């Protein structure tokens, strides 16, 4: 069967918006539910829709908003193919394809964005840990929720063996591994996530949160779709906002196409913020951690509806 775009059937009266999720959260992840009321108050009909449910007619929606399709990782090709068949998807399918493989970090680094140094190990390529000591993180290039991610102290021979074994497990599954130095500042100050939502003139900063350090040792395996997170509000600095702007400027097609973006930063060895991840596909938006955030996301949805 040849893939084709469904015919988009604009709704009459109230616009209709799908919030895309997975079967585990068929009624939406709790944080995502916070936007339903503000959208309804703005005259938008909202429905939760599971991305791989064959019964869903995606053409009946004026906008299809990716939220928590967190089970796509083992089926990324299927997920990207689905995204290409949904013409009203935000963020759009080409951004989804680019962003769901963390090798985008290499492209951003090549463009001059300050990113955490990363090595990539393709399946079938032998890998030995760096000869220097220090802590390193091993994870797959396609993942969500810190799954299959471990922290290894290379001064410990046992950890070195475990790190090699981790890379080999990923390779045996046909997955690209990525290796990064562990930035110790995260233990003291955590990650900073900067949230941006669409406005009339493009992405606008909404709020920031602090995510506590999550990696405390080798990968033990993860039950469920993600590791629990410790979240608290945070005030973004001018330096962090400047790095975020520099990163977002490199998004394929430009940042104005995006409904939302999350820029995750960690202080580097000199204290300057470095990009650890740019989340454009299915990030938690932490709406419950900032006053007015659900309303700002609802306004962003209206902005995209108006463009269509």
């Amino acid at each position: 069967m040849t893939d084709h775009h469904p015919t988009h059937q604009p709704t009459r009266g109230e616009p209709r918006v799908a919030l895309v999720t997975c079967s585990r959260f068929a009624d939406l992840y709790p944080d995502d539910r916070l936007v339903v009321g503000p959208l309804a108050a703005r005259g938008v009909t909202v429905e939760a829709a599971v991305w791989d449910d064959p019964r869903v007619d995606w053409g009946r929606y004026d906008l299809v908003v990716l939220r928590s399709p967190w089970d796509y990782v083992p089926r990324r090709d299927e997920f990207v193919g689905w995204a290409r068949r949904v013409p009203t998807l935000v963020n759009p399918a080409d951004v989804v394809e680019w962003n769901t493989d963390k090798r985008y970090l290499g492209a951003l680094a090549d463009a001059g964005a300050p990113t955490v140094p990363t090595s990539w190990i393709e399946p079938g390529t032998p890998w030995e840990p760096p000869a220097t000591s220090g802590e390193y993180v091993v994870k797959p290039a396609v993942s969500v929720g810190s799954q299959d991610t471990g922290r290894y102290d290379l001064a410990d021979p046992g950890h070195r063996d475990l790190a090699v074994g981790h890379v080999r497990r990923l390779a045996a599954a046909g997955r690209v591994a990525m290796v990064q130095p562990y930035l110790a500042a995260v233990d003291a100050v955590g990650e900073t996530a900067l949230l941006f939502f669409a406005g009339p003139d493009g992405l606008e900063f909404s709020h920031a949160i602090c995510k506590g350090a999550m990696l405390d040792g080798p990968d033990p395996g993860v039950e469920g779709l993600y590791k629990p997170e410790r979240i608290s509000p945070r005030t973004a600095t001018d330096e962090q906002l400047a790095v975020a702007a520099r990163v977002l400027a490199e998004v394929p097609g430009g940042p104005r196409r995006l409904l939302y973006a999350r820029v995750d930063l960690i202080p580097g060895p000199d204290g300057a913020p470095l990009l650890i991840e740019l989340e454009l596909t299915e990030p938690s938006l932490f709406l419950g951690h900032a006053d007015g955030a659900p309303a700002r996301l609802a306004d962003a949805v209206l902005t995209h509806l108006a463009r269509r």
Side-chain angles (χ1 to χ4, degrees):
M1 178 181 294
T2 302
D3 290 343
H4 64 281
H5 288 295
T7 302
H8 177 221
Q9 305 159 0
T11 55
R12 296 180 179 178
E14 289 190 350
R16 188 180 301 274
V17 170
L19 299 183
V20 180
T21 183
C22 60
S23 58
R24 167 78 179 275
F25 299 108
D27 294 324
L28 298 178
Y29 187 66
D31 194 65
D32 292 330
R33 292 183 200 133
L34 298 177
V35 76
V36 174
L39 282 171
R42 288 158 173 76
V44 177
T45 297
V46 183
E47 297 177 4
V50 175
W51 74 271
D52 58 351
D53 183 345
R55 299 168 298 177
V56 177
D57 176 9
W58 300 103
R60 68 194 294 263
Y61 297 107
D62 296 278
L63 202 65
V64 177
V65 179
L66 283 166
R67 287 309 316 120
S68 52
W70 294 330
D71 60 356
Y72 77 82
V73 169
R75 298 178 288 156
R76 175 179 174 265
D77 290 347
E78 179 185 345
F79 180 67
V80 170
W82 164 82
R84 290 177 181 146
R85 297 192 295 273
V86 183
T88 57
L89 187 72
V90 285
N91 288 333
D94 64 300
V95 171
V96 169
E97 182 171 11
W98 180 77
N99 188 239
T100 50
D101 187 324
K102 292 181 177 61
R103 282 176 285 187
Y104 70 78
L105 289 169
L108 291 175
D110 291 344
T115 64
V116 176
T118 305
S119 299
W120 311 93
I121 301 97
E122 301 279 345
T125 302
W127 178 77
E128 290 296 329
T132 57
S133 60
E135 292 188 293
Y136 283 78
V137 174
V138 176
K139 57 185 175 182
V142 178
S143 68
V144 299
S146 297
Q147 294 183 72
D148 302 309
T149 300
R151 169 183 172 183
Y152 302 92
D153 181 356
L154 298 188
D156 181 331
H159 273 224
R160 295 180 74 88
D161 290 343
L162 289 171
V164 171
H166 190 162
V167 171
R168 286 176 178 167
R169 284 199 310 276
L170 295 176
R175 305 174 76 182
V176 175
M178 52 192 291
V179 179
Q180 299 172 317
Y182 185 79
L183 300 180
V186 73
D187 293 328
V189 300
E191 290 185 30
T192 299
L194 280 61
L195 284 303
F196 296 82
F197 299 149
D201 299 318
L203 286 180
E204 298 176 356
F205 175 67
S206 170
H207 60 286
I209 60 93
C210 171
K211 184 190 299 184
M214 298 175 63
L215 298 179
D216 54 8
D219 173 36
V222 176
E223 294 294 332
L225 297 178
Y226 57 90
K227 288 184 179 178
E229 299 173 326
R230 293 182 288 112
I231 306 299
S232 58
R234 170 162 282 177
T235 300
T237 67
D238 289 343
E239 188 177 22
Q240 289 170 335
L241 290 168
V243 169
R246 188 172 175 185
V247 167
L248 291 168
E250 300 298 332
V251 173
R256 193 174 186 277
R257 303 168 64 214
L258 306 178
L259 175 67
Y260 53 70
R262 196 181 92 195
V263 182
D264 294 347
L265 304 173
I266 295 179
D270 61 356
L274 296 177
L275 179 73
I276 187 75
E277 284 197 33
L278 173 60
E279 299 270 13
L280 305 178
T281 303
E282 29 60 26
S284 294
L285 298 176
F286 308 114
L287 300 177
H289 292 270
D291 291 342
R296 289 191 290 275
L297 180 58
D299 287 339
V301 171
L302 261 62
T303 294
H304 273 262
L305 285 169
R307 290 177 187 170
R308 295 181 181 276

